[in-house]
Amino acid sequence: MSQVLVASNRGPVSFSLSDDGALTMRRGGGGLVSGLAAVTGGPGRPAREPAANVLWVCAALGEADRAATRQAPDGRLDEAGHDTGGAAVRMLDIPAATFHRAYNAVANSTLWFVHHLLYDTPRTPHFDARSRRDWQSYEAYNAAFADALARDAAPGAKAAIQDYHLSLAPRMLRDRRPDLKIVHFSHTPWAPPEYYRLLPDDIGAQVLEGILGADHAGFLTERWASAFLDCCERFLPGVRVDRAARTVTRAGHVTRIGVHGLGIDGESLRRRAAEPDVAARAEALREQVGDRKLIVRVDRTELSKNIVRGLAAYREMLTNHPEWRGHVVHLAFAYPSRHDLPEYREYTAAVQRMAEQITDEFGTSDWEPLILQVNDDFPRSLAAYGMADVLLVNPIRDGMNLVAKEGPVLSERGSALVLSREAGAASELAEHALVVNPYDVSQTAETLHQALLMPQDERAERCARLAAAATALPPQQWFADQLTALD
């Protein structure tokens, strides 16, 4: 196959450093890495096609990654003897201060907040001289990726650039290598114009123009693609948007807009869930839960995941329907996320406070109504999917949310899915889920009650349809469709 270059902030592997200075490699985390690794290859995830012509360019995320990068020839981890699953991997040692400002101050505190509608607008955002310095670091970070891709790409190669961290890179790469075919994919929602305009005018335009440097720009749902077109039409003078042809033309360059839903590799996920470590976690959980009904959620403590309202809904359900006391357990996995940012540390504390209130109010000597786990444990998450009677996925806004797809695929009991209408997955799964307004705690509480009462045969039938929808567009097809669109 022709050469394919993948660019993403997080790569297929990461490193930790022991006290004696030894490096330990593990598979990179996150849904994006899981999806791409299923296509390109990664530790424990053989690609469906040979990965010999795939190069994955990523950033060193911490000091251990930086140490590994410096020990590798020009950052090439595969050439340093690391098992990267068949794909070549170049890890970029971007200066720590530049990376911090680009990643935390711009990507995660600005662009993520805009696309997920997270700002507390009476107080934030506050764009000043410091934020301009941060933006310069974001430009430098994107330029480092564009330089690496331009240097490594064979003539006519295809470059697949991922997500909001690298929104400027498509334009920068096109300026350096106009012979390449470039696709950019947004794994987040896209803000509507009324919210996108919170960004400074020039920065908002730069982000749009950066993505329009690609030949093809992909989104997870029609809703996010339409919002992008709306922003291009509203904020870029001289742009021509053809909604029928799904193209944006600016300065003579045409970018096609595509919608590519990302599903689950069901075969791979089921195979992983059959491993002994998952069975051991399931046995331990069953000892805790007993024969009670089980409501499960699996999230990072990300502001958009809406964990506090989800816990509040469970609390209200126990208040309004006391018959469930002693007969149901809520298993909530809330794994730490972005603790470099104060908003996230405060949110994690709010999750823990709400959990303590539920336990204090309803817990008894022989019943623990809520089990909150904050240490990341992937096998335990897989075990919980299999055991769930109800899966709660209630984000206030989400690009897709793969938990909503993983759960039904692994369900052994035919779990019901309580799903936020603001999750991207709702566009595919709403027909067979119980859909809620994520801001309406009372509605969510009542919907949890109804999900627990749902007859077993109806629950099993809904779950089977959810699993079929979840696996209809596996990562291999999702990625291949984008590369095909470049042709």
Side-chain angles (χ1 to χ4, degrees), residues 151-190:
R151 179 184 58 183
D152 288 328
K158 296 178 179 180
I161 299 173
Q162 306 297 312
D163 227 2
Y164 62 102
H165 312 92
L166 295 171
S167 59
L168 305 183
R171 170 60 59 191
M172 292 176 170
L173 181 57
R174 178 158 303 286
D175 291 342
R176 290 159 172 75
R177 290 289 303 273
D179 63 301
L180 301 182
K181 296 179 179 180
I182 304 169
V183 58
H184 181 276
F185 194 86
S186 294
H187 293 261
T188 66
W190 195 272

mmCIF file of all heavy atoms in Angstrom, residues 151-190:
data_model
loop_
_atom_site.group_PDB
_atom_site.id
_atom_site.type_symbol
_atom_site.label_atom_id
_atom_site.label_comp_id
_atom_site.label_asym_id
_atom_site.label_seq_id
_atom_site.Cartn_x
_atom_site.Cartn_y
_atom_site.Cartn_z
ATOM 1 N N ARG A 151 8.975 16.161 6.277
ATOM 2 C CA ARG A 151 10.289 15.532 6.109
ATOM 3 C C ARG A 151 10.153 14.039 5.820
ATOM 4 O O ARG A 151 10.896 13.475 5.004
ATOM 5 C CB ARG A 151 11.116 15.734 7.381
ATOM 6 C CG ARG A 151 12.509 15.103 7.328
ATOM 7 C CD ARG A 151 13.226 15.260 8.645
ATOM 8 N NE ARG A 151 12.475 14.655 9.746
ATOM 9 C CZ ARG A 151 12.864 14.704 11.010
ATOM 10 N NH1 ARG A 151 13.962 15.361 11.351
ATOM 11 N NH2 ARG A 151 12.149 14.109 11.945
ATOM 12 N N ASP A 152 9.206 13.364 6.465
ATOM 13 C CA ASP A 152 9.117 11.905 6.382
ATOM 14 C C ASP A 152 8.250 11.404 5.236
ATOM 15 O O ASP A 152 8.312 10.214 4.894
ATOM 16 C CB ASP A 152 8.562 11.342 7.694
ATOM 17 C CG ASP A 152 9.561 11.418 8.833
ATOM 18 O OD1 ASP A 152 10.767 11.319 8.557
ATOM 19 O OD2 ASP A 152 9.137 11.588 9.997
ATOM 20 N N ALA A 153 7.428 12.246 4.667
ATOM 21 C CA ALA A 153 6.450 11.788 3.680
ATOM 22 C C ALA A 153 7.108 11.508 2.337
ATOM 23 O O ALA A 153 7.896 12.311 1.826
ATOM 24 C CB ALA A 153 5.346 12.824 3.512
ATOM 25 N N ALA A 154 6.749 10.369 1.765
ATOM 26 C CA ALA A 154 7.155 10.063 0.396
ATOM 27 C C ALA A 154 6.314 10.898 -0.570
ATOM 28 O O ALA A 154 5.244 11.395 -0.205
ATOM 29 C CB ALA A 154 6.954 8.575 0.123
ATOM 30 N N PRO A 155 6.756 11.085 -1.806
ATOM 31 C CA PRO A 155 5.947 11.839 -2.770
ATOM 32 C C PRO A 155 4.552 11.248 -2.914
ATOM 33 O O PRO A 155 4.380 10.041 -3.073
ATOM 34 C CB PRO A 155 6.750 11.699 -4.076
ATOM 35 C CG PRO A 155 8.160 11.477 -3.626
ATOM 36 C CD PRO A 155 8.049 10.662 -2.370
ATOM 37 N N GLY A 156 3.545 12.111 -2.808
ATOM 38 C CA GLY A 156 2.167 11.685 -2.986
ATOM 39 C C GLY A 156 1.576 10.891 -1.846
ATOM 40 O O GLY A 156 0.495 10.313 -1.978
ATOM 41 N N ALA A 157 2.247 10.855 -0.701
ATOM 42 C CA ALA A 157 1.739 10.106 0.451
ATOM 43 C C ALA A 157 0.459 10.737 0.988
ATOM 44 O O ALA A 157 0.121 11.885 0.673
ATOM 45 C CB ALA A 157 2.801 10.053 1.552
ATOM 46 N N LYS A 158 -0.237 9.949 1.833
ATOM 47 C CA LYS A 158 -1.450 10.434 2.479
ATOM 48 C C LYS A 158 -1.157 10.696 3.953
ATOM 49 O O LYS A 158 -0.546 9.864 4.624
ATOM 50 C CB LYS A 158 -2.579 9.410 2.347
ATOM 51 C CG LYS A 158 -3.016 9.177 0.905
ATOM 52 C CD LYS A 158 -4.096 8.110 0.820
ATOM 53 C CE LYS A 158 -4.545 7.906 -0.631
ATOM 54 N NZ LYS A 158 -5.594 6.858 -0.727
ATOM 55 N N ALA A 159 -1.595 11.843 4.444
ATOM 56 C CA ALA A 159 -1.393 12.220 5.841
ATOM 57 C C ALA A 159 -2.744 12.357 6.521
ATOM 58 O O ALA A 159 -3.605 13.108 6.046
ATOM 59 C CB ALA A 159 -0.616 13.520 5.945
ATOM 60 N N ALA A 160 -2.931 11.638 7.619
ATOM 61 C CA ALA A 160 -4.176 11.670 8.385
ATOM 62 C C ALA A 160 -3.899 12.362 9.714
ATOM 63 O O ALA A 160 -3.299 11.777 10.623
ATOM 64 C CB ALA A 160 -4.703 10.260 8.617
ATOM 65 N N ILE A 161 -4.335 13.611 9.842
ATOM 66 C CA ILE A 161 -4.040 14.453 10.998
ATOM 67 C C ILE A 161 -5.256 14.462 11.922
ATOM 68 O O ILE A 161 -6.383 14.677 11.470
ATOM 69 C CB ILE A 161 -3.673 15.877 10.540
ATOM 70 C CG1 ILE A 161 -2.431 15.824 9.653
ATOM 71 C CG2 ILE A 161 -3.440 16.793 11.735
ATOM 72 C CD1 ILE A 161 -2.070 17.156 9.016
ATOM 73 N N GLN A 162 -4.998 14.243 13.215
ATOM 74 C CA GLN A 162 -6.083 13.968 14.141
ATOM 75 C C GLN A 162 -6.327 15.097 15.138
ATOM 76 O O GLN A 162 -5.424 15.513 15.853
ATOM 77 C CB GLN A 162 -5.777 12.685 14.930
ATOM 78 C CG GLN A 162 -5.474 11.477 14.070
ATOM 79 C CD GLN A 162 -6.634 11.051 13.197
ATOM 80 O OE1 GLN A 162 -7.764 10.932 13.672
ATOM 81 N NE2 GLN A 162 -6.368 10.848 11.911
ATOM 82 N N ASP A 163 -7.546 15.597 15.152
ATOM 83 C CA ASP A 163 -8.160 16.268 16.291
ATOM 84 C C ASP A 163 -7.727 17.718 16.515
ATOM 85 O O ASP A 163 -6.929 18.298 15.797
ATOM 86 C CB ASP A 163 -7.966 15.436 17.546
ATOM 87 C CG ASP A 163 -9.244 15.284 18.359
ATOM 88 O OD1 ASP A 163 -10.300 15.796 17.927
ATOM 89 O OD2 ASP A 163 -9.201 14.665 19.423
ATOM 90 N N TYR A 164 -8.309 18.287 17.595
ATOM 91 C CA TYR A 164 -8.216 19.716 17.888
ATOM 92 C C TYR A 164 -6.825 20.149 18.314
ATOM 93 O O TYR A 164 -6.498 21.331 18.235
ATOM 94 C CB TYR A 164 -9.229 20.078 18.979
ATOM 95 C CG TYR A 164 -8.996 19.388 20.306
ATOM 96 C CD1 TYR A 164 -8.400 20.055 21.364
ATOM 97 C CD2 TYR A 164 -9.369 18.059 20.483
ATOM 98 C CE1 TYR A 164 -8.183 19.411 22.577
ATOM 99 C CE2 TYR A 164 -9.164 17.414 21.692
ATOM 100 C CZ TYR A 164 -8.560 18.090 22.733
ATOM 101 O OH TYR A 164 -8.336 17.450 23.918
ATOM 102 N N HIS A 165 -5.991 19.219 18.757
ATOM 103 C CA HIS A 165 -4.611 19.580 19.084
ATOM 104 C C HIS A 165 -3.864 20.066 17.838
ATOM 105 O O HIS A 165 -2.946 20.879 17.938
ATOM 106 C CB HIS A 165 -3.845 18.383 19.644
ATOM 107 C CG HIS A 165 -4.564 17.637 20.711
ATOM 108 N ND1 HIS A 165 -5.387 16.554 20.438
ATOM 109 C CD2 HIS A 165 -4.588 17.793 22.053
ATOM 110 C CE1 HIS A 165 -5.876 16.082 21.571
ATOM 111 N NE2 HIS A 165 -5.427 16.819 22.558
ATOM 112 N N LEU A 166 -4.264 19.563 16.683
ATOM 113 C CA LEU A 166 -3.524 19.801 15.436
ATOM 114 C C LEU A 166 -4.410 20.452 14.379
ATOM 115 O O LEU A 166 -4.399 20.074 13.218
ATOM 116 C CB LEU A 166 -2.963 18.471 14.913
ATOM 117 C CG LEU A 166 -1.903 17.817 15.812
ATOM 118 C CD1 LEU A 166 -1.568 16.417 15.332
ATOM 119 C CD2 LEU A 166 -0.656 18.689 15.857
ATOM 120 N N SER A 167 -5.155 21.463 14.781
ATOM 121 C CA SER A 167 -6.064 22.106 13.827
ATOM 122 C C SER A 167 -5.328 23.005 12.839
ATOM 123 O O SER A 167 -5.863 23.313 11.768
ATOM 124 C CB SER A 167 -7.144 22.897 14.569
ATOM 125 O OG SER A 167 -6.569 23.886 15.391
ATOM 126 N N LEU A 168 -4.124 23.446 13.156
ATOM 127 C CA LEU A 168 -3.364 24.293 12.236
ATOM 128 C C LEU A 168 -2.473 23.479 11.308
ATOM 129 O O LEU A 168 -2.034 23.978 10.262
ATOM 130 C CB LEU A 168 -2.481 25.281 13.023
ATOM 131 C CG LEU A 168 -3.170 26.177 14.046
ATOM 132 C CD1 LEU A 168 -2.154 27.141 14.666
ATOM 133 C CD2 LEU A 168 -4.325 26.945 13.427
ATOM 134 N N ALA A 169 -2.176 22.244 11.674
ATOM 135 C CA ALA A 169 -1.191 21.451 10.942
ATOM 136 C C ALA A 169 -1.547 21.176 9.479
ATOM 137 O O ALA A 169 -0.652 21.151 8.636
ATOM 138 C CB ALA A 169 -0.939 20.136 11.683
ATOM 139 N N PRO A 170 -2.835 20.963 9.116
ATOM 140 C CA PRO A 170 -3.111 20.708 7.695
ATOM 141 C C PRO A 170 -2.658 21.846 6.779
ATOM 142 O O PRO A 170 -2.032 21.604 5.742
ATOM 143 C CB PRO A 170 -4.635 20.533 7.663
ATOM 144 C CG PRO A 170 -4.972 20.030 9.024
ATOM 145 C CD PRO A 170 -4.045 20.757 9.946
ATOM 146 N N ARG A 171 -2.956 23.089 7.144
ATOM 147 C CA ARG A 171 -2.520 24.230 6.336
ATOM 148 C C ARG A 171 -1.004 24.336 6.317
ATOM 149 O O ARG A 171 -0.394 24.561 5.260
ATOM 150 C CB ARG A 171 -3.146 25.517 6.875
ATOM 151 C CG ARG A 171 -2.594 26.806 6.267
ATOM 152 C CD ARG A 171 -2.799 26.872 4.774
ATOM 153 N NE ARG A 171 -4.228 26.786 4.440
ATOM 154 C CZ ARG A 171 -4.692 26.610 3.210
ATOM 155 N NH1 ARG A 171 -3.852 26.478 2.204
ATOM 156 N NH2 ARG A 171 -5.996 26.539 2.996
ATOM 157 N N MET A 172 -0.378 24.161 7.468
ATOM 158 C CA MET A 172 1.083 24.242 7.534
ATOM 159 C C MET A 172 1.733 23.156 6.680
ATOM 160 O O MET A 172 2.732 23.410 5.996
ATOM 161 C CB MET A 172 1.542 24.105 8.986
ATOM 162 C CG MET A 172 1.170 25.272 9.880
ATOM 163 S SD MET A 172 1.675 24.940 11.595
ATOM 164 C CE MET A 172 1.415 26.555 12.342
ATOM 165 N N LEU A 173 1.178 21.949 6.720
ATOM 166 C CA LEU A 173 1.741 20.864 5.921
ATOM 167 C C LEU A 173 1.530 21.104 4.440
ATOM 168 O O LEU A 173 2.425 20.840 3.625
ATOM 169 C CB LEU A 173 1.106 19.532 6.342
ATOM 170 C CG LEU A 173 1.613 18.288 5.605
ATOM 171 C CD1 LEU A 173 3.124 18.128 5.754
ATOM 172 C CD2 LEU A 173 0.883 17.041 6.108
ATOM 173 N N ARG A 174 0.368 21.621 4.065
ATOM 174 C CA ARG A 174 0.132 21.901 2.648
ATOM 175 C C ARG A 174 1.113 22.946 2.131
ATOM 176 O O ARG A 174 1.604 22.844 0.999
ATOM 177 C CB ARG A 174 -1.304 22.383 2.430
ATOM 178 C CG ARG A 174 -1.618 22.754 0.980
ATOM 179 C CD ARG A 174 -3.086 22.699 0.678
ATOM 180 N NE ARG A 174 -3.643 21.386 0.960
ATOM 181 C CZ ARG A 174 -3.445 20.304 0.198
ATOM 182 N NH1 ARG A 174 -2.687 20.383 -0.889
ATOM 183 N NH2 ARG A 174 -3.990 19.160 0.521
ATOM 184 N N ASP A 175 1.413 23.942 2.947
ATOM 185 C CA ASP A 175 2.388 24.956 2.531
ATOM 186 C C ASP A 175 3.767 24.344 2.311
ATOM 187 O O ASP A 175 4.514 24.782 1.427
ATOM 188 C CB ASP A 175 2.479 26.067 3.580
ATOM 189 C CG ASP A 175 1.225 26.916 3.648
ATOM 190 O OD1 ASP A 175 0.432 26.878 2.685
ATOM 191 O OD2 ASP A 175 1.028 27.604 4.667
ATOM 192 N N ARG A 176 4.106 23.326 3.107
ATOM 193 C CA ARG A 176 5.426 22.697 2.999
ATOM 194 C C ARG A 176 5.475 21.625 1.920
ATOM 195 O O ARG A 176 6.498 21.459 1.252
ATOM 196 C CB ARG A 176 5.812 22.074 4.356
ATOM 197 C CG ARG A 176 6.112 23.085 5.447
ATOM 198 C CD ARG A 176 5.985 22.454 6.830
ATOM 199 N NE ARG A 176 6.429 23.311 7.928
ATOM 200 C CZ ARG A 176 5.761 24.338 8.408
ATOM 201 N NH1 ARG A 176 4.592 24.662 7.862
ATOM 202 N NH2 ARG A 176 6.238 25.056 9.413
ATOM 203 N N ARG A 177 4.387 20.871 1.773
ATOM 204 C CA ARG A 177 4.359 19.748 0.833
ATOM 205 C C ARG A 177 3.032 19.716 0.078
ATOM 206 O O ARG A 177 2.118 18.940 0.405
ATOM 207 C CB ARG A 177 4.557 18.433 1.596
ATOM 208 C CG ARG A 177 5.948 18.196 2.168
ATOM 209 C CD ARG A 177 6.975 17.911 1.062
ATOM 210 N NE ARG A 177 6.588 16.773 0.253
ATOM 211 C CZ ARG A 177 6.891 15.497 0.556
ATOM 212 N NH1 ARG A 177 7.568 15.231 1.651
ATOM 213 N NH2 ARG A 177 6.526 14.516 -0.240
ATOM 214 N N PRO A 178 2.889 20.552 -0.944
ATOM 215 C CA PRO A 178 1.615 20.588 -1.681
ATOM 216 C C PRO A 178 1.319 19.305 -2.451
ATOM 217 O O PRO A 178 0.188 19.126 -2.927
ATOM 218 C CB PRO A 178 1.795 21.783 -2.627
ATOM 219 C CG PRO A 178 3.270 22.013 -2.707
ATOM 220 C CD PRO A 178 3.831 21.588 -1.404
ATOM 221 N N ASP A 179 2.291 18.401 -2.563
ATOM 222 C CA ASP A 179 2.053 17.146 -3.289
ATOM 223 C C ASP A 179 1.298 16.114 -2.457
ATOM 224 O O ASP A 179 0.794 15.129 -3.001
ATOM 225 C CB ASP A 179 3.387 16.530 -3.726
ATOM 226 C CG ASP A 179 4.259 16.163 -2.535
ATOM 227 O OD1 ASP A 179 4.587 17.079 -1.749
ATOM 228 O OD2 ASP A 179 4.629 14.978 -2.382
ATOM 229 N N LEU A 180 1.201 16.330 -1.153
ATOM 230 C CA LEU A 180 0.586 15.336 -0.289
ATOM 231 C C LEU A 180 -0.936 15.431 -0.317
ATOM 232 O O LEU A 180 -1.503 16.494 -0.575
ATOM 233 C CB LEU A 180 1.075 15.512 1.154
ATOM 234 C CG LEU A 180 2.580 15.411 1.383
ATOM 235 C CD1 LEU A 180 2.888 15.549 2.869
ATOM 236 C CD2 LEU A 180 3.132 14.103 0.836
ATOM 237 N N LYS A 181 -1.576 14.312 -0.008
ATOM 238 C CA LYS A 181 -3.025 14.284 0.183
ATOM 239 C C LYS A 181 -3.286 14.263 1.686
ATOM 240 O O LYS A 181 -2.783 13.391 2.397
ATOM 241 C CB LYS A 181 -3.631 13.061 -0.495
ATOM 242 C CG LYS A 181 -3.460 13.073 -2.016
ATOM 243 C CD LYS A 181 -4.062 11.829 -2.644
ATOM 244 C CE LYS A 181 -3.908 11.863 -4.165
ATOM 245 N NZ LYS A 181 -4.487 10.638 -4.795
ATOM 246 N N ILE A 182 -4.098 15.209 2.152
ATOM 247 C CA ILE A 182 -4.220 15.439 3.588
ATOM 248 C C ILE A 182 -5.679 15.313 4.016
ATOM 249 O O ILE A 182 -6.576 15.900 3.404
ATOM 250 C CB ILE A 182 -3.692 16.840 3.958
ATOM 251 C CG1 ILE A 182 -2.250 17.014 3.486
ATOM 252 C CG2 ILE A 182 -3.805 17.079 5.465
ATOM 253 C CD1 ILE A 182 -1.746 18.446 3.573
ATOM 254 N N VAL A 183 -5.890 14.562 5.095
ATOM 255 C CA VAL A 183 -7.206 14.509 5.728
ATOM 256 C C VAL A 183 -7.041 14.936 7.181
ATOM 257 O O VAL A 183 -6.051 14.594 7.839
ATOM 258 C CB VAL A 183 -7.839 13.092 5.635
ATOM 259 C CG1 VAL A 183 -6.954 12.044 6.276
ATOM 260 C CG2 VAL A 183 -9.225 13.070 6.260
ATOM 261 N N HIS A 184 -7.980 15.725 7.672
ATOM 262 C CA HIS A 184 -8.029 16.073 9.093
ATOM 263 C C HIS A 184 -9.321 15.514 9.656
ATOM 264 O O HIS A 184 -10.380 15.601 9.025
ATOM 265 C CB HIS A 184 -8.001 17.588 9.305
ATOM 266 C CG HIS A 184 -8.014 17.985 10.755
ATOM 267 N ND1 HIS A 184 -9.180 18.092 11.494
ATOM 268 C CD2 HIS A 184 -7.005 18.274 11.615
ATOM 269 C CE1 HIS A 184 -8.886 18.435 12.742
ATOM 270 N NE2 HIS A 184 -7.575 18.549 12.841
ATOM 271 N N PHE A 185 -9.236 14.919 10.858
ATOM 272 C CA PHE A 185 -10.440 14.389 11.477
ATOM 273 C C PHE A 185 -10.634 14.996 12.858
ATOM 274 O O PHE A 185 -9.699 15.029 13.672
ATOM 275 C CB PHE A 185 -10.395 12.861 11.603
ATOM 276 C CG PHE A 185 -11.737 12.281 11.923
ATOM 277 C CD1 PHE A 185 -12.626 11.979 10.908
ATOM 278 C CD2 PHE A 185 -12.144 12.073 13.236
ATOM 279 C CE1 PHE A 185 -13.892 11.471 11.194
ATOM 280 C CE2 PHE A 185 -13.387 11.572 13.533
ATOM 281 C CZ PHE A 185 -14.271 11.275 12.506
ATOM 282 N N SER A 186 -11.861 15.464 13.134
ATOM 283 C CA SER A 186 -12.209 16.050 14.424
ATOM 284 C C SER A 186 -12.952 15.012 15.259
ATOM 285 O O SER A 186 -14.046 14.579 14.895
ATOM 286 C CB SER A 186 -13.095 17.286 14.240
ATOM 287 O OG SER A 186 -12.380 18.324 13.597
ATOM 288 N N HIS A 187 -12.357 14.625 16.392
ATOM 289 C CA HIS A 187 -12.970 13.638 17.275
ATOM 290 C C HIS A 187 -13.884 14.286 18.316
ATOM 291 O O HIS A 187 -14.509 13.588 19.104
ATOM 292 C CB HIS A 187 -11.896 12.813 17.972
ATOM 293 C CG HIS A 187 -11.116 11.944 17.035
ATOM 294 N ND1 HIS A 187 -11.363 10.613 16.853
ATOM 295 C CD2 HIS A 187 -10.083 12.240 16.202
ATOM 296 C CE1 HIS A 187 -10.527 10.107 15.960
ATOM 297 N NE2 HIS A 187 -9.744 11.081 15.554
ATOM 298 N N THR A 188 -13.936 15.610 18.316
ATOM 299 C CA THR A 188 -14.791 16.353 19.240
ATOM 300 C C THR A 188 -16.040 16.845 18.513
ATOM 301 O O THR A 188 -16.120 16.766 17.285
ATOM 302 C CB THR A 188 -14.047 17.578 19.796
ATOM 303 O OG1 THR A 188 -13.804 18.487 18.725
ATOM 304 C CG2 THR A 188 -12.741 17.174 20.459
ATOM 305 N N PRO A 189 -16.998 17.380 19.252
ATOM 306 C CA PRO A 189 -18.046 18.155 18.590
ATOM 307 C C PRO A 189 -17.438 19.395 17.931
ATOM 308 O O PRO A 189 -16.251 19.699 18.126
ATOM 309 C CB PRO A 189 -18.977 18.561 19.746
ATOM 310 C CG PRO A 189 -18.607 17.697 20.890
ATOM 311 C CD PRO A 189 -17.163 17.350 20.721
ATOM 312 N N TRP A 190 -18.243 20.108 17.166
ATOM 313 C CA TRP A 190 -17.830 21.418 16.656
ATOM 314 C C TRP A 190 -18.832 22.444 17.165
ATOM 315 O O TRP A 190 -20.037 22.233 17.112
ATOM 316 C CB TRP A 190 -17.760 21.450 15.137
ATOM 317 C CG TRP A 190 -17.003 22.659 14.677
ATOM 318 C CD1 TRP A 190 -17.507 23.900 14.428
ATOM 319 C CD2 TRP A 190 -15.589 22.755 14.504
ATOM 320 N NE1 TRP A 190 -16.493 24.767 14.092
ATOM 321 C CE2 TRP A 190 -15.302 24.098 14.138
ATOM 322 C CE3 TRP A 190 -14.529 21.860 14.616
ATOM 323 C CZ2 TRP A 190 -14.007 24.542 13.875
ATOM 324 C CZ3 TRP A 190 -13.244 22.302 14.359
ATOM 325 C CH2 TRP A 190 -12.994 23.628 13.991
#
